């Protein structure tokens, strides 16, 4: 800022008291001339070629910035975060599996569930222990690939010494366009890591991880279809999901036998566990029956229901993983 000297009352300022740094004013006449020229060009419908070139260059820069933002977002979720540290990229795919179409009631919009994020791939990052493969997530991944363009990636964390080949390729083969993240609607990143419980993060920066296969399965299923609006039906679905993961998968032999009898009774009344419609209850229960080794000794209604699930085609990744 320019400095002024203070003079006594009644004194006067001399030339030496004026600021030493003077401001340069713009040429008003030149500006008016340029404005008149621009107005004349607009009136005649003419656009300066230099302006057109500048606009085209700006559009190209914005496009590249969106692509760069998508790439950085993906790296931030799979490399720079402590719970998604990785050593080796194994596979990536744009799934186009030949499964029979499964129709759910209601329509789910990704922007509604996950939030709108222009220019960045919405990437779901899951940490799972290879000693306990999450079969239900493989089924849900197959269903998601039927609905959306999914960039599927499997990584191996340094905390794991070895991972069987079938786990490394459980989400399918590498896709040729996996580098172009802007082509995809959803990212599905599975990291084989030594964790006590399955963890999932969607937004690495501002959310706590969702823990437990049952809770992650609920989250993923909501990307396919909204939960039943009927409270009684929604409670029934949740009850079967909890029973599957806590009693079939982790319970004693006595608890598993009791659950199989309950399944047989329910499937004697309806084709699916929650009534006439296929739901998350069927996905969770099928995978837990398979993982617990109870499929061969299951009652007749359960056997018939398992065949109906397999006929949908989405359960083959889970079944192949245990062979």
């Amino acid at each position: 800022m320019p400095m002024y000297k203070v003079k006594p009352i009644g004194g006067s300022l001399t030339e030496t008291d004026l600021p030493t740094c003077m401001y340069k004013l713009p040429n008003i006449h030149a500006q008016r001339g340029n404005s008149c020229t621009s107005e004349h060009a607009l009136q005649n419908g003419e656009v300066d070629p230099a302006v057109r070139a500048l606009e085209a260059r700006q559009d190209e820069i914005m496009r590249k910035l969106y692509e760069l933002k998508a790439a950085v977002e993906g790296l931030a979720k799979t490399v720079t975060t402590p719970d998604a540290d990785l050593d080796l990229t194994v596979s990536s795919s744009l799934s186009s599996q030949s499964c029979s179409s499964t129709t759910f009631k209601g329509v789910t919009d990704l922007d509604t569930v996950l939030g709108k994020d222009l220019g960045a791939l919405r990437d779901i990052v899951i940490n799972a222990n290879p000693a306990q493969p999450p079969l239900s997530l493989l089924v849900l991944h197959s269903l998601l690939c039927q609905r959306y363009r999914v960039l599927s990636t499997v990584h191996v964390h340094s905390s794991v010494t070895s991972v069987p080949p079938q786990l490394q390729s459980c989400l399918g083969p590498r896709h040729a366009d996996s580098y172009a993240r802007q082509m995809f609607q959803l990212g599905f990143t599975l990291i084989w890591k030594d964790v006590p419980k399955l963890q999932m993060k969607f937004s690495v920066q501002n959310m706590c991880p969702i823990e437990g296969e049952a809770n992650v399965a609920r989250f993923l299923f909501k990307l396919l279809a909204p939960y039943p609006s009927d409270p009684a039906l929604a409670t029934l679905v949740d009850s079967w999901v909890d029973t599957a993961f806590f009693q079939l998968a982790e319970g004693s032999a006595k608890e598993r036998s009791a659950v199989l009898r309950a399944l047989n009774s329910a499937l004697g009344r309806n084709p699916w566990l929650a009534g006439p419609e296929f739901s998350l209850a069927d996905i969770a229960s099928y995978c837990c029956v398979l993982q617990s080794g109870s499929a061969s000794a299951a009652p007749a209604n359960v056997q018939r229901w398992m065949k109906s699930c397999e006929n949908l085609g989405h359960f083959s990744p889970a079944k192949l993983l245990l062979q």
Side-chain angles (χ1 to χ4, degrees):
M1 295 290 294
M3 301 299 293
Y4 294 89
K5 293 182 181 180
V6 179
K7 300 292 290 184
I9 297 174
S12 61
L13 290 173
T14 64
E15 263 188 19
T16 57
D17 297 322
L18 293 175
T20 56
C21 178
M22 301 298 292
Y23 294 103
K24 185 177 181 180
L25 295 176
N27 189 332
I28 299 175
H29 300 288
Q31 286 185 351
R32 286 180 178 174
N34 291 338
S35 176
C36 292
T37 303
S38 300
E39 289 175 2
H40 179 70
L42 289 174
Q43 288 173 359
N44 292 340
E46 299 174 359
V47 179
D48 190 343
V51 174
R52 283 200 301 266
L54 184 62
E55 289 176 348
R57 184 181 177 189
Q58 183 179 0
D59 291 340
E60 179 66 15
I61 290 173
M62 291 302 298
R63 185 186 66 80
K64 290 182 178 179
L65 282 175
Y66 283 135
E67 292 179 5
L68 182 61
K69 181 183 178 185
V72 171
E73 184 77 8
L75 289 174
K77 292 179 179 179
T78 58
V79 178
T80 61
T81 56
D83 63 331
D85 189 15
L86 56 94
D87 299 315
L88 174 66
T89 300
V90 180
S91 67
S92 175
S93 67
L94 171 64
S95 215
S96 57
Q97 302 181 20
S98 58
C99 298
S100 59
S101 178
T102 302
T103 305
F104 297 101
K105 281 190 173 181
V107 178
T108 298
D109 178 47
L110 279 181
D111 290 342
T112 302
V113 180
L114 301 180
K116 193 169 184 179
D117 194 359
L118 184 64
L121 179 68
R122 291 165 289 201
D123 200 2
I124 294 171
V125 179
I126 297 172
N127 295 321
N129 197 318
Q132 300 171 326
L135 300 186
S136 66
L137 303 194
L138 300 184
V139 177
L140 288 165
H141 168 263
S142 178
L143 288 165
L144 287 169
C145 291
Q146 176 186 295
R147 178 72 63 85
Y148 307 109
R149 297 189 304 276
V150 181
L151 175 61
S152 309
T153 313
V154 179
H155 300 295
V156 178
H157 189 263
S158 58
S159 61
V160 178
T161 55
S162 63
V163 175
Q166 64 267 28
L167 294 185
Q168 296 181 10
S169 59
C170 63
L171 298 185
R174 185 178 184 85
H175 190 271
D177 294 326
S178 59
Y179 65 91
R181 294 172 64 87
Q182 72 278 3
M183 290 178 54
F184 302 87
Q185 294 174 284
L186 185 67
F188 193 102
T189 302
L190 177 60
I191 303 172
W192 295 116
K193 184 177 180 180
D194 186 13
V195 289
K197 190 179 293 186
L198 185 135
Q199 303 170 345
M200 187 213 81
K201 272 192 175 184
F202 164 65
S203 176
V204 174
Q205 289 80 12
N206 54 20
M207 75 171 283
C208 296
I210 298 175
E211 291 193 341
E213 187 174 348
N215 295 325
V216 175
R218 288 185 176 98
F219 179 91
L220 295 179
F221 189 82
K222 288 179 181 178
L223 302 182
L224 296 165
Y227 244 49
S229 57
D230 180 7
L233 186 56
T235 302
L236 179 62
V237 171
D238 277 332
S239 175
W240 279 119
V241 171
D242 289 336
T243 299
F245 285 110
F246 295 115
Q247 295 184 24
L248 264 178
E250 301 177 3
S252 63
K254 186 176 180 180
E255 287 177 312
R256 286 196 295 269
S257 298
V259 174
L260 288 174
R261 289 194 298 270
L263 287 171
N264 193 59
S265 176
L267 293 169
R269 298 187 297 269
N270 292 294
W272 304 106
L273 288 174
E277 302 292 336
F278 178 77
S279 70
L280 179 60
D282 300 287
I283 297 173
S285 299
Y286 175 94
C287 292
C288 290
V289 168
L290 202 65
Q291 202 158 23
S292 66
S294 306
S296 58
N301 291 334
V302 178
Q303 295 276 6
R304 172 186 52 77
W305 162 76
M306 292 189 74
K307 289 180 181 177
S308 298
C309 289
E310 291 165 6
N311 288 337
L312 296 176
H314 305 291
F315 291 84
S316 55
K319 195 170 183 180
L320 290 172
L321 204 61
L322 296 180
Q323 289 180 353

